[in-house]
């Protein structure tokens, strides 16, 4: 059975949730060896976590801790964990989320059936406290064309399971250059799908816990705009997918509009409209520019649907 490394990044401020995340991984029914690497981002590691593996599973399990040595942020922390481990497969889990039973076995089996594939994903259930939303992709794979057209939110970072040879080879590590780390998961998916379609297990394998908090990127308009500009520059294939280009250009225009950079907002809104008149964000930017709606109204609407741009 292939060995698996699970990278869990933390700032050390959610000890109870972190413990649950670790337990959900070591208790997977997958019979192969699993190493959980807990990477502390600008915080001192807790060596006691390594004891959580005792009697937790009849299968080979290990929990290790380290302090991130590549700089701040989730991309740098994940990369530090990848480079500090050596298993054949690598997965990821945020410190406040959990892997559900059977997640790993299903994904390993799916990858085994597609020996040329480098990357697998699965569905997720998002827990908002008072309700749960399930997000599932209904196809057996995610193609590069799918990702150019849509963000494909059905594939979140917690669901990623990647062959190490891909991360150290054609796919590469998580980008540490993308502004603010915004959309780092989307960039990874795009790079992975360039080489082979992403294998998708149409089952809910992870639980994402929102517990009432706002997105880390809410209101960080300049970061959102700059990161999406970076995505367009780094993935020239968007020039061949008009709807995908219009979507990103519309997000950039809206973010600059909310930031107050009117000229840049209108320029990107125009580019979005020319690529696809169906891109609604171009109209919102125009409405803000002429005072038909306020930026506060737009921000409230985004918050109501859980969107950042």
């Amino acid at each position: 059975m292939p060995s698996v490394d699970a990278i869990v990044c933390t700032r050390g401020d959610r000890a109870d949730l972190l413990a649950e995340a670790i337990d959900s991984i070591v208790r997977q029914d997958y019979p192969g060896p699993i190493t959980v690497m807990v990477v502390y981002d600008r915080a001192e590691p807790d060596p006691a976590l390594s004891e959580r593996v005792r009697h937790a599973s009849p299968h080979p399990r290990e929990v290790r801790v380290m302090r991130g040595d590549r700089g701040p942020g989730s991309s740098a922390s994940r990369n530090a964990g990848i480079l500090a481990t050596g298993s054949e497969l690598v997965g990821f889990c945020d410190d406040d989320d959990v892997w559900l039973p059977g997640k790993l076995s299903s994904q390993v089996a799916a990858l085994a059936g597609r020996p040329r594939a480098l990357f697998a994903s699965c569905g997720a259930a998002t827990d908002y406290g008072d309700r749960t939303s399930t997000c599932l992709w209904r196809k057996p794979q995610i193609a590069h064309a799918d990702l150019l057209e849509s963000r494909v939110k059905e594939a979140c970072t917690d669901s990623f399971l990647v062959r190490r040879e891909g991360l150290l080879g054609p796919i590469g590590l998580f980008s540490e250059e993308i502004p603010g780390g915004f959309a780092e998961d989307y960039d990874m998916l795009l790079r992975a799908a360039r080489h082979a379609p992403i294998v998708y297990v149409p089952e809910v394998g992870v639980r994402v816990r929102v517990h009432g908090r706002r997105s880390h990127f809410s209101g960080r308009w300049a970061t959102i705009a700059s990161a999406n500009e970076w995505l367009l520059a780094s993935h020239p294939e968007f020039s061949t997918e008009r709807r995908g280009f219009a979507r990103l250009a519309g997000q950039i225009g809206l973010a600059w509009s909310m930031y107050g950079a009117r000229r840049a907002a209108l320029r990107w809104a125009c580019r979005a409209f020319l690529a696809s008149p169906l891109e609604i964000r171009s109209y919102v930017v125009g409405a803000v520019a002429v005072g038909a709606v306020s930026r506060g109204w737009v921000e409230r609407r985004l918050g109501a649907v859980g969107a950042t741009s």
Side-chain angles (χ1 to χ4, degrees), residues 74 86 124 131 150-151 169 194 214 216 227 257 275 285 303:
S74 57
R131 62 186 176 88
S150 167
R151 162 58 185 85
R194 277 176 179 164
R214 299 179 69 199
H216 170 68
S257 176
V285 172

Side-chain angles (χ1 to χ4, degrees), residues 114-308:
R114 300 278 294 279
R116 296 185 59 186
L118 297 174
F119 202 114
S121 180
C122 66
T126 302
D127 183 0
Y128 293 94
D130 58 345
R131 62 186 176 88
T132 300
S133 175
T134 299
C135 203
L136 277 177
W137 184 250
R138 298 300 179 180
K139 302 176 185 178
Q141 65 181 33
I142 303 172
H144 193 236
D146 295 322
L147 288 158
L148 291 176
E149 182 178 340
S150 167
R151 162 58 185 85
V152 185
K153 293 182 178 179
E154 294 84 351
C156 66
T157 311
D158 290 335
S159 75
F160 294 177
L161 185 68
V162 194
R163 297 190 195 274
R164 178 175 298 278
E165 63 188 89
L167 292 170
L168 301 183
I171 299 175
L173 300 174
F174 284 91
S175 173
E176 297 177 32
E177 299 177 359
I178 188 168
F182 180 81
E184 60 192 2
D185 51 351
Y186 185 32
D187 170 62
M188 172 66 79
L189 288 168
L190 284 163
R191 285 188 280 121
R194 277 176 179 164
H195 299 279
I198 293 165
V199 176
Y200 195 84
V201 177
E203 302 171 0
V204 174
V206 299
R207 186 169 83 246
V208 177
R209 296 187 283 199
V210 176
H211 45 75
R213 71 181 188 274
R214 299 179 69 199
S215 166
H216 170 68
F217 293 101
S218 294
R220 298 179 61 188
W221 305 115
T223 296
I224 293 170
S226 298
N228 280 323
E229 289 181 7
W230 184 95
L231 279 173
L232 286 178
S234 300
H235 298 275
E237 303 95 328
F238 276 109
S239 64
T240 67
E241 217 307 313
R242 297 178 68 86
R243 288 177 60 185
F245 177 88
R247 172 176 53 85
L248 282 180
Q251 290 176 338
I252 295 168
L254 183 59
W256 282 131
S257 176
M258 297 299 291
Y259 185 69
R262 185 174 182 271
R263 182 174 297 180
L266 290 172
R267 182 172 67 251
W268 279 103
C270 182
R271 295 183 70 181
F273 176 82
L274 291 174
S276 173
L278 298 177
E279 174 49 54
I280 192 171
R281 294 175 187 84
S282 57
Y283 299 96
V284 176
V285 172
V288 172
V290 300
V293 298
S294 68
R295 287 185 290 189
W297 180 87
V298 175
E299 188 163 15
R300 289 192 296 274
R301 293 300 300 166
L302 290 171
V305 298
T308 54

Side-chain angles (χ1 to χ4, degrees), residues 34-52:
I34 300 175
T35 297
V36 182
M37 175 58 83
V38 184
V39 183
Y40 281 76
D41 179 6
R42 293 162 290 175
E44 287 302 315
D46 178 7
L49 287 177
S50 60
E51 299 299 316
R52 297 197 68 82

